[in-house]
Amino acid sequence: MANSTASAKRDGFSSALGVLAATLGSAVGLGNIWKFPALTGSNGGAGFLLIYLCATLVVGLPVMIAELTLGRHARANPIAALKRMGPPGRPWWLVGVIGMIAAFLIMAFYSEVVAWVFAYVWKGLEGSALSSDPAVTQGAFTALVSSPWQSLLWQWVVLLLIGGILLKGVSGGIEAVTKRLMPLLFLLLTALCLYSLTLDGAGAGLSFLFRPDFSKVDATVVLTAVGLAFFKMSIGMGTMMTYGSYFRTEQNIPLTAGRVMCADLAVSLLAGIAIFPAVFTFGFEPAAGPALLFITLPAVFAQLPFGQLLMVLFFVLTSIAAIGAMLSLLEVPVLILHERLGWPRHKAIGVCVAVVAVLGAACALSGSVLAGFLLFGRNMFELMDFVSSNVLLPVGGILVALFAGWVWGKESFTHAVSNAGELGNTRLARVLVVLLRYVSPVLILIVMLHGLGVL
Ligand code: PHE
């Protein structure tokens, strides 16, 4: 009953541009800014890029296309989609449940990092946390992370903003916002790149990023590339299935996925070009993760002309990237609760935001009152990151690939990917089926076992 009311006037993306902006908004996130460039630089530059490209083509893209196609075909949340499309009585819908759990866990720690990014926009405006002495910028970051109230309040700001956008719906919220923010992101990023290229360290920065060093390429590097492709393309947890359910019927899914992949790669490369020349100009170590963003970069900005403005622009840009990713994460459980329990959207959003706030508090407080609370040798922040990235996403990815390739089957998949034959891409669809059946699941399994330390 509730299901049919929900789907009778189902919201969705209203234009091809909106589809692209929202899907790209999900893929582009914190991963582009602190993970990708640093991993590329330290894992062999152009050699790593080449491997990453292969990983996205062989694993990332097929799984992304499969998720989008399943979602669009079912026009429903991941649990309902798999229930409806799988053989009766088989628990394939559990893949949707795993996705929902993964979404909550990722949001719990991701929202805290976004909270720091928001806090740094504020610090940039104030001019605090800007010092050419890394010991001082380190102190400013430690002060933020170890203050329970600051960590919690900024996280709530993030959650209220994301929840508020989702209240406006799919076309009026997600689509409208990402359509405006994505071009702004490219504009800001290009401006920062051009500026960075005029600095003395431009040569050293570019060579760190791009110089091929195949001696660094080993099994671990290959596995890192596959794992990164997974996280970057937001696959393995129902996000793309959810967004696929909002795609227009005539949308060319493989083309859209390919464009998203290329644009996402471009954002990552531009981010590297913006960051590393500046870092090398002042002789800093090219660190990764929070240290790069919140300790090294403020020290770099402090030494540049217009440093304060640059700092604000950089963190605004990072906030933009993170907002699109957060929207797509929160939409997964919201749609599930809305459709399965028949709750109005605002109730589903309120409950999901509350759940993330509770789980997220455990992460937000990992730097202060919960610092000594460890499970399996990890604090809450690290644990949620580890379980979602190394267990739930790969398991979800393997199951989606197997479902699309074997259970839903070659004919149905080809029919749906080719828009009932209209797109004339049946040969591509066949290649995708082979990848989904034999290649992606095996590769993902290897990555997962490696991430768990089994291999
Ligand atoms: N792709 C996002 C990033 O790079 C992260 C993300 C993962 C978003 C899974 C949604 C789902 O930051």
Side-chain angles (χ1 to χ4, degrees):
M1 222 324 260
N3 283 354
S4 56
T5 358
S7 53
K9 38 182 186 318
R10 208 168 182 278
D11 201 355
F13 300 133
S14 65
S15 66
L17 193 70
V19 169
L20 193 66
T23 316
L24 183 61
S26 170
V28 168
L30 295 172
N32 301 63
I33 306 204
W34 86 20
K35 270 195 177 172
F36 191 101
L39 283 176
T40 305
S42 51
N43 284 311
F48 180 82
L49 276 181
L50 210 65
I51 295 168
Y52 176 80
L53 213 59
C54 293
T56 42
L57 287 174
V58 175
V59 183
L61 214 50
V63 175
M64 186 174 180
I65 293 172
E67 280 198 28
L68 291 171
T69 309
L70 290 168
R72 185 183 63 179
H73 185 81
R75 294 262 177 244
N77 65 83
I79 296 180
L82 292 162
K83 205 169 224 173
R84 209 178 288 163
M85 295 162 78
R90 292 287 169 82
W92 281 100
W93 54 271
L94 281 174
V95 180
V97 176
I98 297 177
M100 180 160 145
I101 297 171
F104 276 125
L105 294 187
I106 295 178
M107 278 187 282
F109 71 87
Y110 204 88
S111 64
E112 185 50 26
V113 187
V114 188
W116 299 336
V117 174
F118 278 27
Y120 267 68
V121 173
W122 182 254
K123 283 180 192 291
L125 290 171
E126 278 184 341
S128 63
L130 203 64
S131 160
S132 55
D133 180 0
V136 176
T137 55
Q138 162 112 49
F141 183 55
T142 311
L144 170 66
V145 176
S146 56
S147 153
W149 280 113
Q150 282 197 52
S151 305
L152 285 175
L153 284 174
W154 281 112
Q155 189 176 42
W156 293 340
V157 171
V158 172
L159 293 177
L160 288 179
L161 175 73
I162 301 300
I165 296 174
L166 285 194
L167 277 180
K168 304 238 168 226
V170 177
S171 53
I174 301 175
E175 180 178 351
V177 168
T178 50
K179 231 160 70 180
R180 289 187 178 96
L181 289 187
M182 281 297 119
L184 187 63
L185 177 105
F186 273 95
L187 205 75
L188 282 176
L189 199 51
T190 312
L192 285 179
C193 272
L194 291 176
Y195 179 87
S196 206
L197 287 173
T198 63
L199 300 173
D200 292 341
L206 292 181
S207 121
F208 171 73
L209 197 56
F210 293 116
R211 195 193 45 229
D213 179 359
F214 288 97
S215 72
K216 287 201 180 141
V217 175
D218 56 15
T220 316
V221 170
V222 175
L223 296 166
T224 308
V226 179
L228 181 65
F230 232 68
F231 186 80
K232 279 302 318 106
M233 300 179 86
S234 313
I235 48 180
M237 37 87 45
T239 289
M240 286 301 159
M241 232 187 270
T242 304
Y243 272 19
S245 78
Y246 301 138
F247 268 38
R248 297 165 341 134
T249 315
E250 66 276 24
Q251 193 82 23
N252 183 334
I253 289 181
L255 189 66
T256 307
R259 283 185 177 150
V260 167
M261 179 201 133
C262 293
D264 175 63
L265 186 64
V267 172
S268 298
L269 294 178
L270 289 174
I273 297 173
I275 293 171
F276 289 118
V279 169
F280 278 93
T281 299
F282 300 104
F284 287 116
E285 275 300 304
L292 175 69
L293 242 60
F294 303 108
I295 298 171
T296 307
L297 285 183
V300 168
F301 290 135
Q303 300 176 58
L304 291 170
F306 310 109
Q308 191 177 351
L309 175 69
L310 289 172
M311 173 156 162
V312 173
L313 290 182
F314 178 80
F315 283 105
V316 165
L317 170 121
T318 310
S319 308
I320 292 176
I323 287 171
M326 274 296 292
L327 285 173
S328 71
L329 282 161
L330 189 60
E331 182 62 19
V332 174
V334 164
L335 181 68
I336 290 177
L337 293 184
H338 171 56
E339 287 188 343
R340 296 217 58 81
L341 303 182
W343 289 357
R345 254 184 93 83
H346 61 85
K347 181 174 170 190
I349 293 169
V351 169
C352 291
V353 164
V355 172
V356 180
V358 171
L359 289 174
C363 297
L365 300 177
S366 287
S368 50
V369 285
L370 292 180
F373 184 73
L374 303 182
L375 271 182
F376 305 107
R378 293 181 165 85
N379 67 31
M380 288 300 106
F381 185 106
E382 293 160 345
L383 189 70
M384 296 201 197
D385 185 4
F386 182 83
V387 172
S388 54
S389 313
N390 294 341
V391 184
L392 299 178
L393 292 192
V395 168
I398 292 176
L399 293 174
V400 165
L402 294 177
F403 183 88
W406 294 100
V407 180
W408 198 31
K410 195 165 144 185
E411 294 315 317
S412 320
F413 182 79
T414 309
H415 188 260
V417 165
S418 65
N419 295 1
E422 246 169 53
L423 297 177
N425 59 359
T426 22
R427 201 171 298 161
L428 172 70
R430 287 212 190 97
V431 174
L432 287 170
V433 171
V434 172
L435 290 174
L436 288 168
R437 281 186 172 178
Y438 306 103
V439 185
S440 316
V442 178
L443 278 178
I444 302 168
L445 187 69
I446 297 175
V447 172
M448 182 172 93
L449 295 180
H450 180 266
L452 294 177
V454 180
L455 286 184

